[in-house]
Amino acid sequence: MEALENGIRENDLFFDVMDTSSPYGEATVKNAYNPYGPSEGRIAVNPYYSYEAIFSPVIKPGRIPRLTQFLCDLLLHHLWEIDAFSGMSRDAFQVRFLEQDILQGAFGVELPLEDFTAEEIRSIAYFYLRLCRTGNQERCFCDVMRSLYRNAWVNVREEGSVVLIVNHPPSPADERRVDAMRSIFLQAGRTCRIFWDIPPGIIECGETTIGNFVLF
């Protein structure tokens, strides 16, 4: 998980099996607990530590052949996936698959992946799953915007148009991000007016939901 958060893909992560048979040997192996081992993407592990029953027939103490190391890496990747899914709720399980679909281009050019972090992609997957279940476009659009921009506000007017106040300095990347969320979460043709700062309104109306301003 730490590797993924630092931009290292699962396929680029290599579990480097060490030539020790002691279950406690992993604690003494150099770089064993360094997330990336001696080189980025490589983790030194002792498979006996957690999976002795699985690896005892495969690995014998002493020098490990290169082919066996690659076989162990494949097994550890598979065991890691099983472990990652263990104990997950149904929502978390489904969000993970949806997140993978998004990273593989499920939303096409509408979602520029380079403008979002891995954590933000996960949030988008979560709120899109909620949208599919509830159909509540405004609520999901508001929640996903609040996850991307802490001070964002969404106001739905009586005639059905949506007003988004981002409260964030605009940049080309931010404009692409907001356009992507509008395309994904709001129905096609839905009017959405975007303000990057709070628009002028009537001052000293403290009872409004956004403080001392009234929209339009």
Side-chain angles (χ1 to χ4, degrees):
M1 297 303 295
E2 187 170 349
L4 292 176
E5 291 174 357
N6 284 274
I8 298 177
R9 301 180 308 170
E10 295 176 32
N11 291 340
D12 294 332
L13 196 63
F14 184 80
F15 294 99
D16 192 7
V17 176
M18 307 307 294
D19 56 351
T20 174
S21 59
S22 170
Y24 303 99
E26 188 170 280
T28 61
V29 174
K30 184 179 180 180
N31 294 321
Y33 291 107
N34 181 335
Y36 312 125
S39 61
E40 185 174 334
R42 184 178 293 266
I43 302 178
V45 295
N46 171 19
Y48 290 99
Y49 187 73
S50 301
Y51 303 108
E52 182 179 4
I54 296 174
F55 286 95
S56 290
V58 180
I59 306 174
K60 304 301 178 184
R63 185 174 179 82
I64 301 175
R66 192 65 176 157
L67 180 60
T68 303
Q69 283 187 316
F70 280 104
L71 174 61
C72 292
D73 175 64
L74 291 173
L75 288 172
L76 284 166
H77 270 282
H78 179 63
L79 292 169
W80 174 85
E81 290 180 358
I82 293 175
D83 190 46
F85 283 121
S86 297
M88 294 179 101
S89 66
R90 184 180 65 177
D91 284 355
F93 189 79
Q94 293 175 340
V95 164
R96 181 170 173 82
F97 280 108
L98 183 54
E99 180 185 355
Q100 292 174 354
D101 288 341
I102 292 174
L103 291 173
Q104 292 171 4
F107 289 125
V109 296
E110 289 187 0
L111 184 65
L113 297 175
E114 64 276 7
D115 291 332
F116 297 88
T117 66
E119 185 176 351
E120 289 171 340
I121 292 293
R122 191 172 300 118
S123 293
I124 293 170
Y126 172 78
F127 289 116
Y128 187 77
L129 179 64
R130 185 195 291 180
L131 174 64
C132 292
R133 289 177 175 171
T134 65
N136 192 334
Q137 299 176 9
E138 296 85 4
R139 180 73 265 169
C140 294
F141 179 62
C142 179
D143 289 342
V144 74
M145 291 307 305
R146 288 295 297 272
S147 73
L148 297 176
Y149 298 99
R150 194 173 183 179
N151 297 317
W153 289 88
V154 176
N155 181 273
V156 181
R157 303 179 66 187
E158 289 184 1
E159 76 276 11
S161 64
V162 176
V163 177
L164 167 64
I165 305 172
V166 186
N167 274 330
H168 183 85
S171 70
D174 288 308
E175 291 176 356
R176 291 192 298 268
R177 284 154 56 94
V178 171
D179 285 341
M181 295 303 97
R182 181 172 58 177
S183 298
I184 293 171
F185 285 90
L186 293 180
Q187 187 177 11
R190 188 78 176 272
T191 301
C192 179
R193 300 191 63 177
I194 299 172
F195 294 91
W196 291 94
D197 199 355
I198 293 180
I202 302 173
I203 301 178
E204 300 300 334
C205 294
E207 70 272 16
T208 62
T209 58
I210 64 171
N212 295 329
F213 294 89
V214 174
L215 294 178
F216 307 109

